[in-house]
Amino acid sequence: MVITDLKRHFLKLCADEEVDVQWCDNPLQALALSGELEFIRTPRIASEITYAVAMHELGHIKSGDRSTDQIARERAAWDWARCNALKWTPHMEGYAAASLRWYEEHLPDPQAKPGSR
C-alpha cells in the first residue's frame, strides 16, 4: 500500500461525509470542527503519520463523542482512526499514544477536585 492509496482513502471518506478539508504544514495546527459545517485542517498526507493525524481529525467528527472531557474525545478520535484506517502500524500507534500522553499530562483531570492538582 502506498501513500497515494492512504490519501485517496481519507479524501473519499471526507467526500462521502461532505467534510471540507484544508491542508496545513504542521500537525500541531490540525483540528476538526463539527456542526452545521464539518471541517478538518490537517497536514498533507505524505506519510503514515500524517495519514494517522488526518484520520484522527476525521475521527473527531465520525466518532460521535461530544463529551466535555477533552481526553475522552481524543481517545474516541484515535479509536475511530485506528478502526477505520486502511492500515495501522506500530509507528502510527506510537504517535497516537504520545499524543494521548501529552493531553493527559497537560490537561486538568475532569474528575479531580478543585485545588487537588
Side-chain angles (χ1 to χ4, degrees):
M1 185 166 309
V2 295
I3 297 301
T4 55
D5 296 327
L6 303 179
K7 181 177 180 179
R8 187 177 307 114
H9 176 247
F10 169 74
L11 290 174
K12 180 177 181 342
L13 291 172
C14 289
D16 289 350
E17 297 298 322
E18 298 181 359
V19 174
D20 289 328
V21 177
Q22 179 185 51
W23 303 112
C24 65
D25 294 327
N26 184 337
L28 297 177
Q29 296 172 327
L31 63 83
L33 300 174
S34 185
E36 192 172 316
L37 173 70
E38 294 183 325
F39 170 84
I40 293 172
R41 181 172 58 212
T42 189
R44 293 188 185 282
I45 298 172
S47 69
E48 60 189 29
I49 294 300
T50 51
Y51 173 66
V53 171
M55 291 295 287
H56 167 78
E57 294 307 329
L58 185 56
H60 278 295
I61 293 170
K62 296 293 293 168
S63 74
D65 189 320
R66 302 295 178 252
S67 167
T68 58
D69 179 351
Q70 178 70 34
I71 294 171
R73 289 194 316 269
E74 291 300 318
R75 280 191 190 108
W78 281 116
D79 288 346
W80 186 92
R82 190 179 294 108
C83 291
N84 291 278
L86 288 177
K87 72 176 195 174
W88 197 260
T89 66
H91 193 188
M92 295 161 81
E93 186 59 33
Y95 188 90
S99 174
L100 286 172
R101 273 193 308 277
W102 186 92
Y103 278 97
E104 290 166 349
E105 292 169 2
H106 291 89
L107 292 180
D109 180 352
Q111 306 301 321
K113 295 178 182 168
S116 67
R117 191 154 191 193

